[in-house]
Each structure stands twice: as C-alpha cells, then as structure tokens.
Amino acid sequence: MTGPRGTRLLRLFPKAWREVYGAEFLALIEDCPPGPRDAIDILVSAVDARLRPSAWIAASRQEMQRERGLVLQAASGPAPVPEPGTRIRVGGVAAGHSTPVADRRFSRRTFLRNALVGSVVVAAGGSGAAIFAYSSPEPTSTFGSRIVVPISEVPAVGADPVKYADGRFWLIHNDDGVLALHWRCTHLGCTVPWEPADATGPKFRCPCHRSGFNRLGERVEGPAPRPLDVMNAWVTTEGDLVVDTGNIIVRETYEPSQAVRL
Amino acid sequence: MADDRSNLDPDMGLGRFTEPALLILISLAEGEKHGYAMMQDIAATANTRIGPGTLYGALARLETRGWIESVSSDDRRRPYRLTASGAAALTAQLTGMEKLATTGLRRLGVAT
C-alpha cells in the first residue's frame, strides 16, 4: 500500500538526497505510514532540502577538504571520520563547532533559485487563498438561512419598506399583507435601493440601468424583465414573521397570495 | 555566526530543525538507533511526535555537521550514532539550557 505512495513522497527530494537517504527513508515510511500531516511535513522538508542543499551537502569537494583539514587539525580527541567505502556520501564531514563554510555562501544562483521558487509559492498561495475564499461560504452573512423578524419590527401598512441587509431583502406591508422582496434587480443583479424621493414618485430604483419597481416589486420602468423576486415567508405560532432567504420565488406578476397575512 | 556566542546557542545554526535536532541528539545519547526507533524514543521521552520529513531534515543536517554518523548495516533501516563532536555539542547545549532553567526556576522561587 505504502509502496507507491512512499516512492512518490520520496521523489519530492533532490536526487542527491535520495541517493544518500532514500532507502532508509522509504523503510521509515513503511514502518509508520504517513498521514496527511506527515505528508505536509515531508513536503516542507523536501522543499527545504531543495532550497538549502548546503545544509546537507558540502558545496564543493574543495571546501569539503578544507573543512576536513581544519577539523583534523582542531580535533584533539578521536574525531571520527566516516569510514571510507561504507557508503557514498558527498558531504559527510565532521565540522565540529564551526559553521560550515557552505552555510555562509549566498550565491547568485541560490538567490535566483530562492527568488523563483519564492515567487511561484507566493503566486500559487495567493491564487489558492483566493479560490478558497471564493468557494467557501461567507461566514458573516446569514443570507440563505431563515431570518426571524419580530412582529414589532414589521413596517406598518403603507409605510416605507424596511431593509434587512442580513437577508438581502426589503420588507413591505400593504393591504394584502407583508412581502419580503429580494433586493437583487432582475435585470443584471444590482442591489436595488428604495428611493422615497424619486422624480416619478417613491419606488425601488436600480442604480445600474434605472429599472423602477413599485412597492409590490412590480416593474414600472427600465429594462428589468420581471418583478423583483419574493422570498418565502410565514408567521410562526408566536406571531413572528419568518423569512426564508434560501427560498427565493421567481414571479411574473404580483398576486395577493404572495403576501403574508399578519 | 555561533563563533563568539556563549555556550547556549539558541539555534545551533540549524534553523527550524533545532528542536528536532536536539531531540535526536538526546535520543542517540542513549545508543545507536535507526530513524523509526528515534521517532518512538522521542515520542516516549519528550512526548513529541516528529514527522518523517522533519526527522530526516534534521538527521541530514546533523550528519553534514559531523555530530552524528551512520553505522554500516545490512538492513535498510540504517542506525546512527553520536560522534565525539556531537556529544560535545550536546553537552554544551544541555549545560547551557540547564543553567538557563536553573536561573528561571530560581527567579520563580520554585528552586532553591
């Protein structure tokens, strides 16, 4: 089971790294099959190994020998030198307490590679975050749920509509009852405000293409093809009004049955 | 970098692998172990789980630095052991930490 998966994870590491640590790393993965968090852990380490090869491999043979010379001079005790021939290692050198020379190097190549990988990571992260933000539901909005409006907040018959931004609807009260009008223009979807001082009398007036709708949401002007949509609403046994903002009803005309009697 | 610091070098030049590296050194102070054995030992003694990637990131650094070395083995599960310089580095690090811990505990009034 873990065979192909382990091999795939191992392939994330640079070739030189795999030559040294590949076999035992696969054995380890077989001993403890990696979960999702381990997979991320392995990915991060693989990226690190690619970005900072100097941390695990001596930059060049010359430096390796220079370091070895330093260490052999400095080491007083039995400084263990890797047994030759046991294993192909490019950089298995005792460095004592001194920081390896390779660590201090920051070559143009390193810089360019870091810049390239960094910008790719930033670009991928940015678009990933955008996709995630776009595809996850808006956490602060209650739009789509049922909104309870206490009966005391329902506007009086004939009064100006009241806006419920949480549910994206206008509440209006006429002789037939209460209507919850979805505030989205049926033309191209702009948010429609109530304009009590409109030139041709109070109405919902779309700011985008000047569609006008009367109190009942019926189109009276402009390019909108149909009345504002209504949201399904009802009165609870306690007498409160419930508006289901997840149940939007498309209509061709106003009918008194669309209004909720209080 | 770490040349003229005191004996407690906060990251031993190991970056994000410092703590895992320290745990590995402590684990190997007991005797040679392969990767999986280190993970188990660290889980038992330090109550910390080290992921396989982190483990090998730290192992590779420690080996490059010469603080640990691999033991030749027929098994794919290759054991590692502490080198003399690794033991010295670990001793210095732990001594420094002990001094720091003692100071902190004394200031807290926990220890005498």
Side-chain angles (χ1 to χ4, degrees):
Chain A
M1 274 301 284
T2 59
R5 177 129 184 264
T7 317
R8 230 176 312 146
L9 288 169
L10 181 63
R11 228 176 285 143
L12 295 168
F13 288 90
K15 188 158 175 283
W17 195 96
R18 293 195 303 248
E19 278 168 8
V20 180
Y21 297 107
E24 57 194 282
F25 190 72
L26 273 183
L28 174 69
I29 284 181
E30 274 167 33
D31 283 338
C32 69
R37 212 193 297 169
D38 289 336
I40 292 171
D41 176 72
I42 290 168
L43 175 65
V44 170
S45 288
V47 169
D48 178 86
R50 286 181 183 276
L51 285 182
R52 270 190 289 271
S54 62
W56 53 272
I57 206 169
S60 72
R61 203 159 280 281
Q62 260 185 355
E63 272 173 10
M64 201 168 103
Q65 278 160 359
R66 195 140 45 97
E67 277 181 45
R68 178 176 295 168
L70 281 176
V71 169
L72 288 183
Q73 273 180 359
S76 51
V81 175
E83 294 165 45
T86 50
R87 195 173 175 198
I88 304 159
R89 282 214 189 258
V90 193
V93 178
H97 236 327
S98 69
T99 310
V101 181
D103 273 357
R104 299 204 189 113
R105 284 183 26 141
F106 196 64
S107 66
R108 178 192 305 242
R109 181 186 300 184
T110 313
F111 172 75
L112 289 176
R113 187 185 47 220
N114 287 2
L116 176 66
V117 173
S119 53
V120 166
V121 165
V122 166
S127 46
I131 289 167
F132 181 77
Y134 181 77
S135 56
S136 46
E138 293 172 50
T140 53
S141 173
T142 49
F143 182 68
S145 64
R146 292 173 178 179
I147 291 180
V148 178
V149 180
I151 210 71
S152 56
E153 288 180 18
V154 174
V157 177
D160 277 348
V162 173
K163 182 163 78 174
Y164 283 85
D166 286 351
R168 304 181 192 172
F169 62 87
W170 290 95
L171 219 51
I172 77 114
H173 202 169
N174 70 348
D175 292 333
D176 297 324
V178 176
L179 277 175
L181 299 174
H182 190 196
W183 73 16
R184 190 175 184 274
C185 183
T186 49
H187 178 217
L188 290 175
C190 298
T191 300
V192 180
W194 173 252
E195 297 289 357
D198 192 86
T200 55
K203 62 174 57 64
F204 295 104
R205 175 68 81 179
C206 181
C208 297
H209 302 94
R210 311 304 296 161
S211 290
F213 304 87
N214 65 15
R215 289 172 52 79
L216 302 172
E218 294 170 299
R219 189 195 74 90
V220 290
E221 284 176 42
R226 54 188 163 82
L228 293 175
D229 298 334
V230 294
M231 291 178 179
N232 192 29
W234 61 92
V235 177
T236 64
T237 48
E238 287 82 27
D240 292 324
L241 180 72
V242 177
V243 177
D244 186 355
T245 61
N247 188 357
I248 295 169
I249 300 155
V250 174
R251 56 187 182 153
E252 292 304 322
T253 56
Y254 169 74
E255 279 162 31
S257 62
Q258 292 159 0
V260 182
R261 284 219 161 271
L262 296 185
Chain B
M1 198 161 72
D3 300 334
D4 46 16
R5 293 246 196 99
S6 67
N7 47 2
L8 180 62
D9 178 4
D11 76 350
M12 302 188 281
L14 290 169
R16 61 179 286 270
F17 292 100
T18 304
E19 199 201 325
L22 191 63
L23 293 173
I24 288 169
L25 290 176
I26 292 173
S27 182
L28 292 183
E30 189 190 41
E32 55 189 53
K33 289 189 182 67
H34 56 71
Y36 185 51
M38 283 182 236
M39 277 174 76
Q40 285 178 316
D41 178 58
I42 289 168
T45 56
N47 204 19
T48 301
R49 189 172 181 283
I50 291 185
T54 304
L55 179 79
Y56 267 85
L59 273 185
R61 277 168 164 73
L62 289 171
E63 187 174 25
T64 301
R65 189 165 278 234
W67 287 357
I68 64 172
E69 64 187 356
S70 61
V71 181
S72 52
S73 155
D74 295 334
D75 191 1
R76 286 198 302 159
R77 291 161 183 77
R78 192 184 302 274
Y80 288 82
R81 67 173 165 234
L82 212 56
T83 64
S85 64
L90 180 63
T91 307
Q93 186 74 6
L94 290 179
T95 310
M97 288 171 80
E98 188 184 34
K99 216 178 283 178
L100 191 66
T102 311
T103 310
L105 287 171
R106 197 178 50 234
R107 289 184 181 175
L108 283 167
V110 177
T112 50

